[in-house]
Amino acid sequence: MKLETLKESVSSFWDNVTEGWRHLMQSASGALTRFKPSENTNLPSSDEVDDESYLPTRRWAMLGGDVFEDERRLVVRLELPGMAKEDIAIEVCDDALVVSGEKRFARESTAGRWRVMQCAYGHFRRVVPLPAPVNAEGGSATYKNGVLRIELPKRTPGEIKVRTIEVS
């Protein structure tokens, strides 16, 4: 009897782990973003940092986002803390929204040592699939409190453009 209880417990535990892993993979697959530092990123050198996990060459971070849709528009919100709005670029390419930019490191005004370096800095690119066709020319964006909000009007369905071609 105890062996059956143990089997059920292990099975339940395994189901929870696989479900949690699947949920994590789905939510992180689009949000996990690679940052590539450049000369403009202004990162401290390795001898200025005591954090053993510090690797200035490449970092990964989660850029969480939301996509909202109603009858006439799509709204995309991305968390981009620590950015200047001048360092953010937005493009609409077919059925995807591409947000790129560079997050620069801000040095302290006094001399000292960095004990922990967990934030990601550098150039990044995040692609958000769009669930409906949009009119990119009518789009607008705002950046406030570390959140980028992009509003894109939907393209009018069924709109057929007729063009006459003359035979010469």
Side-chain angles (χ1 to χ4, degrees):
M1 191 66 173
K2 287 186 173 185
L3 185 59
E4 287 301 316
T5 303
L6 181 63
K7 282 182 178 178
E8 288 178 21
S9 295
V10 169
S11 177
S12 175
F13 171 75
W14 185 249
D15 289 345
N16 287 334
V17 168
T18 55
E19 181 184 331
W21 181 254
R22 199 173 20 251
H23 176 73
L24 179 64
M25 291 296 291
Q26 286 174 347
S27 62
S29 65
L32 190 58
T33 306
R34 185 173 71 176
F35 285 71
K36 292 190 230 175
S38 70
E39 293 176 10
N40 297 331
T41 306
N42 197 26
L43 282 171
S45 63
S46 296
D47 60 342
E48 297 176 275
V49 179
D50 293 338
D51 189 343
E52 292 179 12
S53 64
Y54 178 64
L55 183 61
T57 55
R58 294 192 190 260
R59 291 272 179 160
W60 293 84
M62 297 284 285
L63 295 182
D66 299 323
V67 177
F68 170 80
E69 175 182 13
D70 64 17
E71 290 182 11
R72 57 179 185 82
R73 66 191 173 134
L74 289 175
V75 178
V76 178
R77 293 188 306 197
L78 287 178
E79 295 176 336
L80 299 172
M83 297 281 303
K85 67 180 180 182
E86 298 78 25
D87 294 331
I88 300 170
I90 303 166
E91 296 175 316
V92 176
C93 303
D94 294 328
D95 58 351
L97 175 72
V98 179
V99 177
S100 59
E102 181 162 5
K103 184 178 174 185
R104 293 184 171 84
F105 181 77
R107 291 190 169 269
E108 293 296 321
S109 60
T110 59
R113 298 203 51 79
W114 296 97
R115 300 293 186 184
V116 176
M117 291 285 299
Q118 295 179 333
C119 296
Y121 299 96
H123 185 267
F124 67 91
R125 183 174 188 264
R126 168 86 193 268
V127 178
V128 179
L130 298 174
V134 297
N135 178 6
E137 290 79 26
S140 62
T142 57
Y143 181 69
K144 184 178 178 184
N145 297 329
V147 177
L148 177 66
R149 183 180 185 279
I150 303 160
E151 187 170 323
L152 299 164
K154 286 184 175 177
R155 214 180 299 155
T156 306
E159 185 177 298
I160 300 172
K161 293 182 180 179
V162 178
R163 181 175 172 217
T164 304
I165 301 173
E166 294 185 27
V167 179
S168 57

